[in-house]
Amino acid sequence: LHYISAAIFRLAMEEQTLPRLVHEGGVTALCNICLRCPRDILTTQLCASALSLLSQQTIGRYAVVQEGCVPALVTLLHEASDSSTLRHGLLTLSNLLLDTAHHVQVLGQGGVAAIILLSNHKCSEIRESCAIALFNFSRGEAASEKGVSASAIPAIIALSRLPQPRTRMRCAATLCKLASVEDNVNLMVEEGVVPAFIDMLQTRDQDIVKHCCAAL
């Protein structure tokens, strides 16, 4: 299984082979290996890296979602312990969430919950990946559902306090989007969004300030 993963990873690096790799079951094979070897670090790194490459293309994103591979990704994110596997798994979910048509399925299959769970990870790169994924998710209507907001908003507010300017900018943009939904306002205030905005405004970064002011 490790060598099969390695072969698929190398094939995924060649853009011209992607359609055939997808149509002949490459995505499904990777996901099956994820489910069978979620704690084999060398294998999971290859699987997650290959899936992130495949998800960069529309045809690959469609295959991951339509072939029911999101649960395998979620298993990988729950079981894997190394940062490389987690980063590439999150990158795959971020790429899937670029297409708003995939949001409902990714949400329903536990993808968003897995992102929120990892948002307090000790690794800054993983937190950055979570911020990107949640930003992509906030662009769709599914992010406005009350049950989703209840868990996503505290995670985004926590991420907004991190020192990385890019992470803070994405969090400000995500909170701005969520603030446009009236049902979210009370929850955001209760979770401390106003102090978070005030803190981010101190950065005087033009993009961060713009999103904070728009949200307020």
Side-chain angles (χ1 to χ4, degrees), residues 33-91:
I33 295 172
C34 289
L35 290 171
R36 292 180 64 182
C37 310
R39 296 183 181 178
D40 187 312
I41 293 176
L42 294 178
T43 302
T44 60
Q45 287 176 347
L46 289 167
C47 288
S49 298
L51 286 169
S52 68
L53 286 172
L54 287 164
S55 67
Q56 291 175 18
Q57 305 294 329
T58 301
I59 186 174
R61 291 194 290 271
Y62 182 84
V64 171
V65 174
Q66 296 303 317
E67 294 179 24
C69 296
V70 173
L73 263 175
V74 172
T75 297
L76 206 57
L77 293 174
H78 284 314
E79 298 288 339
S81 57
D82 66 293
S83 59
S84 177
T85 298
L86 294 175
R87 281 190 295 105
H88 283 100
L90 286 167
L91 177 58

Side-chain angles (χ1 to χ4, degrees), residues 67-204:
E67 294 179 24
C69 296
V70 173
L73 263 175
V74 172
T75 297
L76 206 57
L77 293 174
H78 284 314
E79 298 288 339
S81 57
D82 66 293
S83 59
S84 177
T85 298
L86 294 175
R87 281 190 295 105
H88 283 100
L90 286 167
L91 177 58
T92 303
L93 285 177
S94 295
N95 289 337
L96 297 181
L97 293 169
L98 284 171
D99 297 333
T100 56
H102 298 155
H103 285 194
V104 172
Q105 286 172 285
V106 173
L107 173 64
Q109 294 173 356
V112 175
I115 295 166
I116 292 170
L117 189 64
L118 286 169
S119 64
N120 63 353
H121 197 277
K122 62 182 180 181
C123 175
S124 61
E125 291 182 343
I126 290 174
R127 295 196 299 266
E128 171 83 7
S129 298
C130 290
I132 295 171
L134 290 171
F135 169 72
N136 290 344
F137 181 59
S138 72
R139 295 164 54 245
E141 294 181 3
S144 303
E145 295 181 11
K146 194 170 184 179
V148 180
S149 300
S151 56
I153 287 172
I156 299 161
I157 291 174
L159 287 169
S160 75
R161 298 190 176 98
L162 296 170
Q164 299 94 342
R166 288 182 303 172
T167 300
R168 303 192 93 181
M169 187 275 290
R170 291 190 178 100
C171 290
T174 304
L175 291 169
C176 179
K177 179 69 174 175
L178 293 174
S180 66
V181 180
E182 187 174 353
D183 289 343
N184 289 338
V185 174
N186 285 339
L187 176 61
M188 294 177 76
V189 173
E190 290 171 3
E191 291 292 341
V193 76
V194 175
F197 282 141
I198 293 172
D199 186 43
M200 285 190 283
L201 286 168
Q202 304 307 312
T203 65
R204 300 188 179 181

